[in-house]
Amino acid sequence: MSAPDDPSFGRWLAAARRMAQRPAPRPREAFVLAGQVVGSVAPGFLQQIDPARLAGQGGRLRQHSGAWHLEAAPEACTAALDALAVALRDAQLCGPWRNEQLAVCNPQGERLATVERGAVRVLGVGTCAVHLVGLASDGCMWVQQRARDKPNDPGLWDTLMGGMVGAADTLAQALARETWEEAGLRVADLIGVAHGGHVLLERPSSDGGGAGYMVERIDWFRARLPDGMLPCNQDGEVQRFELLPPSTLREWLVQGLFTLEASLVIAGFLGL
């Protein structure tokens, strides 16, 4: 599946890449956990939280030298972060609550704690996701339409599978779980499963009334579905699946029918 020699496709791709790398509208303040930077927050955002909400969980929240510090002993970092997440939820200052823990790492990639998924964007915490580009033997691509009640990008089109890497996951575990939940497929039954690359996004997020910032690495894989094998959603988060020939796929991309994340993954698959 080769990329077209079409100026409109090139303009679309350049615009998508600009959208994926956008600074916050206002400079953000560092969010520091136990002395290490793990994210960022909008100016004044955490002033809306009563620091006393964290005291019983071994954490202390304070502003110092232009940054917000959540001070906690190493063994109390997760509890302190979750107390902060609950305070944000109760004040309606974070994204949808998922009861799902994601890893919180320092700039070197070392895990310091975990936190509720709904709080990561407003805290500017980096996340990891996984996507699967699913192909048919004739070169067509399987894509999914996101359910219309999804909190993010409802109704837009996506790769065959796209999901978060949870705190307890390896990349392979996340790939296997999300492929089953979203497409009803076992990775072991697919042909030629291979890591294709990764894309990076750093851009403003609507979480917390526009106070969020998305920092995410997406690792994407490719595989072929055996002839006769059809995807079937298991978790209610997919509206439907379609098998697109290359020409239709490119048309839908240029028309903006895909999520930004899926668009960049597909561009990577096309070798762009």
Short mmCIF file of all heavy atoms in Angstrom, two decimals, residues 132-140 142 160 179 183-193 222-231 243:
data_model
loop_
_atom_site.label_atom_id
_atom_site.label_comp_id
_atom_site.label_asym_id
_atom_site.label_seq_id
_atom_site.Cartn_x
_atom_site.Cartn_y
_atom_site.Cartn_z
N LEU A 132 -2.93 -1.48 16.40
CA LEU A 132 -2.71 -2.59 15.48
C LEU A 132 -3.27 -2.23 14.11
O LEU A 132 -4.46 -1.91 13.98
CB LEU A 132 -3.40 -3.86 15.99
CG LEU A 132 -3.29 -5.09 15.07
CD1 LEU A 132 -1.83 -5.51 14.92
CD2 LEU A 132 -4.14 -6.24 15.60
N VAL A 133 -2.41 -2.26 13.10
CA VAL A 133 -2.83 -2.11 11.72
C VAL A 133 -3.15 -3.50 11.19
O VAL A 133 -2.26 -4.35 11.08
CB VAL A 133 -1.71 -1.45 10.88
CG1 VAL A 133 -2.10 -1.40 9.40
CG2 VAL A 133 -1.43 -0.04 11.39
N GLY A 134 -4.43 -3.74 10.91
CA GLY A 134 -4.86 -5.06 10.47
C GLY A 134 -5.10 -5.08 8.98
O GLY A 134 -5.86 -4.26 8.44
N LEU A 135 -4.48 -6.02 8.28
CA LEU A 135 -4.54 -6.08 6.82
C LEU A 135 -5.23 -7.35 6.36
O LEU A 135 -5.26 -8.36 7.07
CB LEU A 135 -3.12 -6.03 6.24
CG LEU A 135 -2.27 -4.83 6.69
CD1 LEU A 135 -0.83 -5.03 6.23
CD2 LEU A 135 -2.85 -3.54 6.13
N ALA A 136 -5.78 -7.30 5.16
CA ALA A 136 -6.31 -8.48 4.49
C ALA A 136 -5.30 -8.95 3.44
O ALA A 136 -4.36 -8.22 3.09
CB ALA A 136 -7.65 -8.16 3.84
N SER A 137 -5.47 -10.15 2.94
CA SER A 137 -4.50 -10.71 1.99
C SER A 137 -4.42 -9.92 0.70
O SER A 137 -3.42 -9.98 -0.01
CB SER A 137 -4.84 -12.17 1.70
OG SER A 137 -6.16 -12.28 1.16
N ASP A 138 -5.49 -9.16 0.36
CA ASP A 138 -5.49 -8.38 -0.87
C ASP A 138 -4.94 -6.97 -0.69
O ASP A 138 -5.00 -6.15 -1.61
CB ASP A 138 -6.91 -8.31 -1.46
CG ASP A 138 -7.91 -7.64 -0.52
OD1 ASP A 138 -7.50 -7.22 0.59
OD2 ASP A 138 -9.10 -7.55 -0.89
N GLY A 139 -4.44 -6.64 0.51
CA GLY A 139 -3.86 -5.33 0.75
C GLY A 139 -4.82 -4.31 1.31
O GLY A 139 -4.41 -3.18 1.62
N CYS A 140 -6.09 -4.66 1.46
CA CYS A 140 -7.04 -3.76 2.10
C CYS A 140 -6.76 -3.69 3.60
O CYS A 140 -6.10 -4.57 4.16
CB CYS A 140 -8.46 -4.22 1.85
SG CYS A 140 -8.99 -4.09 0.12
N TRP A 142 -8.27 -3.24 7.57
CA TRP A 142 -9.40 -3.25 8.50
C TRP A 142 -9.33 -2.02 9.40
O TRP A 142 -8.29 -1.70 9.96
CB TRP A 142 -9.36 -4.50 9.38
CG TRP A 142 -9.87 -5.74 8.72
CD1 TRP A 142 -9.13 -6.78 8.24
CD2 TRP A 142 -11.24 -6.07 8.47
NE1 TRP A 142 -9.94 -7.75 7.70
CE2 TRP A 142 -11.26 -7.33 7.84
CE3 TRP A 142 -12.46 -5.43 8.72
CZ2 TRP A 142 -12.43 -7.97 7.45
CZ3 TRP A 142 -13.63 -6.05 8.34
CH2 TRP A 142 -13.62 -7.30 7.72
N LEU A 160 -7.52 -0.87 13.37
CA LEU A 160 -8.27 -2.04 13.82
C LEU A 160 -8.36 -2.09 15.33
O LEU A 160 -9.39 -2.46 15.91
CB LEU A 160 -7.61 -3.32 13.28
CG LEU A 160 -8.22 -4.65 13.75
CD1 LEU A 160 -9.68 -4.75 13.33
CD2 LEU A 160 -7.41 -5.82 13.21
N THR A 179 -6.50 -6.16 21.56
CA THR A 179 -6.90 -6.78 20.30
C THR A 179 -8.12 -7.68 20.52
O THR A 179 -9.05 -7.71 19.70
CB THR A 179 -5.74 -7.57 19.68
OG1 THR A 179 -4.66 -6.67 19.40
CG2 THR A 179 -6.16 -8.26 18.40
N ALA A 183 -11.46 -6.11 19.03
CA ALA A 183 -11.70 -6.77 17.74
C ALA A 183 -12.04 -8.25 17.86
O ALA A 183 -12.31 -8.89 16.84
CB ALA A 183 -10.48 -6.59 16.84
N GLY A 184 -12.02 -8.81 19.07
CA GLY A 184 -12.36 -10.22 19.24
C GLY A 184 -11.38 -11.15 18.55
O GLY A 184 -11.74 -12.26 18.16
N LEU A 185 -10.13 -10.73 18.44
CA LEU A 185 -9.10 -11.52 17.76
C LEU A 185 -7.99 -11.88 18.72
O LEU A 185 -7.61 -11.08 19.59
CB LEU A 185 -8.50 -10.72 16.59
CG LEU A 185 -9.49 -10.26 15.50
CD1 LEU A 185 -8.78 -9.30 14.54
CD2 LEU A 185 -10.07 -11.45 14.75
N ARG A 186 -7.47 -13.10 18.58
CA ARG A 186 -6.30 -13.54 19.34
C ARG A 186 -5.06 -13.25 18.52
O ARG A 186 -4.97 -13.64 17.35
CB ARG A 186 -6.40 -15.03 19.66
CG ARG A 186 -7.64 -15.44 20.44
CD ARG A 186 -7.66 -14.85 21.84
NE ARG A 186 -8.79 -15.36 22.62
CZ ARG A 186 -9.16 -14.89 23.80
NH1 ARG A 186 -8.47 -13.86 24.34
NH2 ARG A 186 -10.17 -15.41 24.46
N VAL A 187 -4.09 -12.59 19.15
CA VAL A 187 -2.86 -12.22 18.44
C VAL A 187 -2.19 -13.45 17.85
O VAL A 187 -1.65 -13.42 16.74
CB VAL A 187 -1.91 -11.45 19.39
CG1 VAL A 187 -0.54 -11.28 18.75
CG2 VAL A 187 -2.50 -10.09 19.73
N ALA A 188 -2.26 -14.58 18.59
CA ALA A 188 -1.62 -15.80 18.11
C ALA A 188 -2.22 -16.32 16.81
O ALA A 188 -1.58 -17.09 16.07
CB ALA A 188 -1.71 -16.88 19.18
N ASP A 189 -3.46 -15.91 16.50
CA ASP A 189 -4.11 -16.37 15.27
C ASP A 189 -3.80 -15.49 14.06
O ASP A 189 -4.18 -15.83 12.94
CB ASP A 189 -5.63 -16.40 15.47
CG ASP A 189 -6.06 -17.43 16.51
OD1 ASP A 189 -5.34 -18.43 16.69
OD2 ASP A 189 -7.12 -17.22 17.14
N LEU A 190 -3.15 -14.35 14.30
CA LEU A 190 -2.84 -13.43 13.22
C LEU A 190 -1.54 -13.81 12.54
O LEU A 190 -0.69 -14.52 13.11
CB LEU A 190 -2.77 -12.00 13.76
CG LEU A 190 -4.02 -11.51 14.50
CD1 LEU A 190 -3.82 -10.09 14.99
CD2 LEU A 190 -5.26 -11.60 13.62
N ILE A 191 -1.34 -13.32 11.33
CA ILE A 191 -0.18 -13.70 10.52
C ILE A 191 0.80 -12.52 10.45
O ILE A 191 0.41 -11.39 10.17
CB ILE A 191 -0.64 -14.09 9.10
CG1 ILE A 191 -1.60 -15.28 9.17
CG2 ILE A 191 0.56 -14.42 8.21
CD1 ILE A 191 -2.30 -15.56 7.85
N GLY A 192 2.07 -12.83 10.70
CA GLY A 192 3.12 -11.82 10.51
C GLY A 192 3.04 -10.65 11.45
O GLY A 192 3.32 -9.51 11.04
N VAL A 193 2.70 -10.90 12.70
CA VAL A 193 2.62 -9.81 13.68
C VAL A 193 4.02 -9.22 13.87
O VAL A 193 4.98 -9.94 14.17
CB VAL A 193 2.07 -10.31 15.03
CG1 VAL A 193 2.02 -9.16 16.03
CG2 VAL A 193 0.69 -10.92 14.84
N ARG A 222 1.72 -4.33 13.06
CA ARG A 222 1.00 -4.71 11.85
C ARG A 222 0.82 -6.22 11.84
O ARG A 222 1.63 -6.97 12.40
CB ARG A 222 1.76 -4.27 10.60
CG ARG A 222 3.15 -4.82 10.49
CD ARG A 222 3.87 -4.32 9.26
NE ARG A 222 3.24 -4.84 8.05
CZ ARG A 222 3.52 -4.38 6.82
NH1 ARG A 222 4.37 -3.38 6.66
NH2 ARG A 222 2.93 -4.90 5.77
N ALA A 223 -0.26 -6.67 11.23
CA ALA A 223 -0.52 -8.10 11.11
C ALA A 223 -1.56 -8.31 10.02
O ALA A 223 -2.32 -7.39 9.68
CB ALA A 223 -1.01 -8.68 12.43
N ARG A 224 -1.61 -9.52 9.51
CA ARG A 224 -2.63 -9.88 8.51
C ARG A 224 -3.62 -10.83 9.13
O ARG A 224 -3.24 -11.76 9.86
CB ARG A 224 -1.98 -10.50 7.27
CG ARG A 224 -2.99 -10.87 6.20
CD ARG A 224 -2.32 -11.12 4.87
NE ARG A 224 -1.46 -12.30 4.87
CZ ARG A 224 -1.90 -13.55 4.68
NH1 ARG A 224 -3.20 -13.79 4.52
NH2 ARG A 224 -1.05 -14.55 4.67
N LEU A 225 -4.90 -10.58 8.87
CA LEU A 225 -5.93 -11.50 9.31
C LEU A 225 -6.05 -12.64 8.31
O LEU A 225 -6.08 -12.40 7.09
CB LEU A 225 -7.29 -10.80 9.42
CG LEU A 225 -7.58 -9.99 10.69
CD1 LEU A 225 -6.62 -8.82 10.83
CD2 LEU A 225 -9.02 -9.52 10.69
N PRO A 226 -6.11 -13.88 8.78
CA PRO A 226 -6.32 -14.99 7.85
C PRO A 226 -7.62 -14.81 7.06
O PRO A 226 -8.59 -14.23 7.57
CB PRO A 226 -6.41 -16.22 8.77
CG PRO A 226 -5.69 -15.80 10.02
CD PRO A 226 -5.97 -14.33 10.17
N ASP A 227 -7.65 -15.27 5.84
CA ASP A 227 -8.85 -15.16 5.03
C ASP A 227 -10.03 -15.81 5.75
O ASP A 227 -9.91 -16.91 6.31
CB ASP A 227 -8.65 -15.83 3.67
CG ASP A 227 -7.65 -15.09 2.79
OD1 ASP A 227 -7.41 -13.90 3.07
OD2 ASP A 227 -7.12 -15.69 1.84
N GLY A 228 -11.15 -15.12 5.77
CA GLY A 228 -12.33 -15.63 6.43
C GLY A 228 -12.47 -15.22 7.88
O GLY A 228 -13.53 -15.41 8.48
N MET A 229 -11.41 -14.67 8.49
CA MET A 229 -11.47 -14.22 9.88
C MET A 229 -11.98 -12.78 9.92
O MET A 229 -11.46 -11.91 9.23
CB MET A 229 -10.10 -14.31 10.54
CG MET A 229 -10.08 -13.88 12.00
SD MET A 229 -8.44 -14.10 12.77
CE MET A 229 -8.41 -15.90 12.91
N LEU A 230 -12.99 -12.53 10.74
CA LEU A 230 -13.61 -11.21 10.82
C LEU A 230 -13.48 -10.65 12.23
O LEU A 230 -13.67 -11.39 13.21
CB LEU A 230 -15.09 -11.29 10.43
CG LEU A 230 -15.42 -11.83 9.05
CD1 LEU A 230 -16.93 -11.92 8.88
CD2 LEU A 230 -14.79 -10.98 7.96
N PRO A 231 -13.21 -9.35 12.37
CA PRO A 231 -13.19 -8.75 13.71
C PRO A 231 -14.60 -8.65 14.27
O PRO A 231 -15.57 -8.47 13.53
CB PRO A 231 -12.58 -7.37 13.47
CG PRO A 231 -12.88 -7.07 12.02
CD PRO A 231 -12.87 -8.38 11.31
N LEU A 243 -13.60 -2.84 5.85
CA LEU A 243 -12.38 -3.26 5.15
C LEU A 243 -12.21 -2.30 3.97
O LEU A 243 -12.99 -2.33 3.02
CB LEU A 243 -12.52 -4.70 4.68
CG LEU A 243 -11.29 -5.34 4.04
CD1 LEU A 243 -10.11 -5.34 5.01
CD2 LEU A 243 -11.61 -6.77 3.59
#
